[in-house]
């Protein structure tokens, strides 16, 4: 993934308004994808470890409440 692709996905989040649930989902997907890329490709051990640790949060099951 490159910067223009990330920017396209950020624009898709903005374009999904006023469906805030879709926006949250798209944002979550983007962040997860970016962490996966960092965890698997970054040459810095510390960055890879941080991204991998953050991805562990996906294992927590919880309910999301609408505002």
């Amino acid at each position: 993934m490159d910067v223009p692709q990330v920017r396209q996905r950020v624009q898709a989040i903005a374009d999904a308004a006023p469906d805030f649930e879709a926006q949250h989902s798209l944002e979550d997907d983007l962040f997860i994808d970016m962490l996966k890329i960092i965890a698997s490709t970054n040459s810095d051990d510390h960055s890879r470890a941080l991204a991998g640790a953050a991805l562990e949060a996906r294992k927590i099951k919880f309910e999301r409440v609408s505002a």
Side-chain angles (χ1 to χ4, degrees), residues 12-51:
I13 295 167
D15 293 345
D19 187 346
F20 67 90
E21 289 180 0
Q23 287 179 302
H24 282 290
S25 180
L26 290 168
E27 181 186 52
D28 288 347
D29 292 345
L30 174 59
F31 292 160
I32 289 166
D33 289 347
M34 296 313 306
L35 285 171
K36 285 179 179 177
I37 290 169
I38 293 166
S40 64
T41 64
N42 197 296
S43 62
D44 178 65
D45 291 340
H46 184 68
S47 295
R48 278 197 323 269
L50 287 172

